[in-house]
């Protein structure tokens, strides 16, 4: 999960560059094309076409739908509100996962794990310190992203027993590409050669990130794995320093310590059982 979000955060940096020049639908479609290339490579390497076999079509479509909704809403929220506010609110997803893991997956989530996830979310708020602008109706967008992402994580856990990671990635990517292609009627822009390379990089990063996160949900409970999505914040700090020379302030350091401590405690509780 940590490695997956390292790739995903780097992909977000590429996405941030591209959103200044291209519409959301075009970005989603072009990136999906390159993810499909990666899916083909993985399928060829690990068993061929049979790895794309779908057993639970309904579950696959539900996951693809929630992933598509989350992607479109998140990009839209980035256009309408400050980045820090959108990310801080969207990181409520692990909270929703903890709430839903019991009734939807039958997983036991003890009060200690629940408290640790709450503490982790407090750490995210400490780091981003949402501004007063977050108290607007537009703030419902990233909150819906969090809810859609939580459902996506829950569904991933449910279908991972019968569906291969490659098949899950293929169906989800196909859905994203289809939705992105529909937006062609609203007008796309000509792509420069340099930006085509960025689309390729972003697609491969996204594909690799999704594959790793799907594998994480295959081998661990959703309520245990999801809090490690917070590691994206740490990767963002690292990339910010290496690329732009940004040095984290004391609020970022304090919040990071809370998030890391929360994740390690959840891992400790998992090793001891419910």
């Amino acid at each position: 999960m940590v490695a997956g979000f390292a790739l995903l955060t780097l992909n977000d940096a590429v996405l941030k560059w591209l959103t200044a020049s291209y519409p959301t639908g075009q970005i989603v479609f072009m990136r999906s094309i390159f993810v499909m290339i990666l899916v083909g490579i993985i399928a060829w390497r690990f068993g061929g076409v049979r790895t794309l076999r779908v057993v639970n079509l309904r579950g696959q479509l539900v996951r693809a739908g929630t992933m598509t909704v989350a992607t479109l809403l998140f990009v839209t929220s980035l256009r309408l509100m400050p980045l820090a506010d959108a990310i801080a609110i969207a990181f409520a997803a692990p909270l929703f996962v903890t709430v839903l893991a019991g009734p939807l997956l039958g997983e036991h989530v003890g009060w200690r794990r629940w408290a640790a996830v709450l503490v982790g979310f407090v750490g995210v708020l400490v780091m981003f310190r949402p501004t007063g602008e977050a108290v607007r109706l537009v703030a419902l967008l990233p909150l819906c992203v969090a809810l859609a992402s939580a459902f996506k994580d829950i569904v991933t856990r449910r279908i991972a027993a019968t569906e291969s990671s490659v098949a899950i990635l293929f169906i989800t990517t196909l859905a994203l590409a289809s939705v992105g292609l529909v937006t062609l009627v609203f007008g796309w822009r000509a792509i420069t050669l340099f930006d085509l390379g960025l689309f390729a990089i972003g697609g491969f990063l996204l594909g690799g990130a999704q594959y790793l996160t799907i594998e994480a949900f295959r081998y661990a409970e959703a309520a245990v794995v999801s809090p490690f999505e917070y590691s994206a914040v740490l990767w963002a700090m690292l990339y910010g320093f290496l690329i732009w020379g940004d040095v984290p302030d004391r609020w970022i350091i304090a919040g990071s310590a809370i998030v890391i401590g929360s994740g390690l405690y959840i891992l400790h509780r998992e090793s001891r059982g419910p």
Side-chain angles (χ1 to χ4, degrees), residues 18-29:
L18 293 171
T19 52
S21 303
Y22 303 95
T24 300
Q26 185 176 7
I27 293 174
V28 170
F29 175 79

Side-chain angles (χ1 to χ4, degrees), residues 83-113:
L83 176 63
D85 293 350
I87 292 179
I89 298 172
F91 263 98
L95 295 180
F96 287 120
V97 169
T98 300
V99 173
L100 297 172
L104 296 184
L105 292 178
E107 296 180 1
H108 175 74
V109 182
W111 68 268
R112 292 181 179 85
R113 250 190 264 174

Side-chain angles (χ1 to χ4, degrees), residues 8 60 64 68 76 117 124-125 147 155 173 178 204 207 211 213 253:
L8 188 61
Q60 287 270 24
T68 300
T76 302
V117 174
V124 173
L125 293 180
L147 183 58
V155 174
T173 304
S178 299
F204 289 135
Y211 182 83
T213 54
I253 295 175

Side-chain angles (χ1 to χ4, degrees), residues 177-244:
S178 299
V179 172
L181 183 60
V182 170
T183 66
L184 176 62
V185 298
F186 300 109
W188 285 2
R189 295 191 57 184
I191 301 175
T192 66
L193 185 60
F194 176 78
D195 288 344
L196 183 61
L198 290 181
F199 277 118
I201 292 173
F204 289 135
L205 288 172
L206 180 62
Q210 289 193 31
Y211 182 83
L212 289 174
T213 54
I214 291 170
E215 285 292 286
F217 281 107
R218 183 184 305 280
Y219 294 109
E221 291 185 356
V224 175
V225 171
S226 291
F228 287 91
E229 294 180 8
Y230 292 134
S231 64
V233 178
L234 304 180
W235 289 115
M237 291 166 49
L238 177 62
Y239 297 147
F241 176 74
L242 293 177
I243 298 174
W244 294 287

Side-chain angles (χ1 to χ4, degrees), residues 252-265:
I252 294 292
I253 295 175
S256 299
I258 295 173
V259 171
I260 294 173
S262 173
L264 291 177
Y265 180 75

Side-chain angles (χ1 to χ4, degrees), residues 11 16 131 177 266:
N11 164 74
K16 183 176 179 61
T131 68
I266 291 172

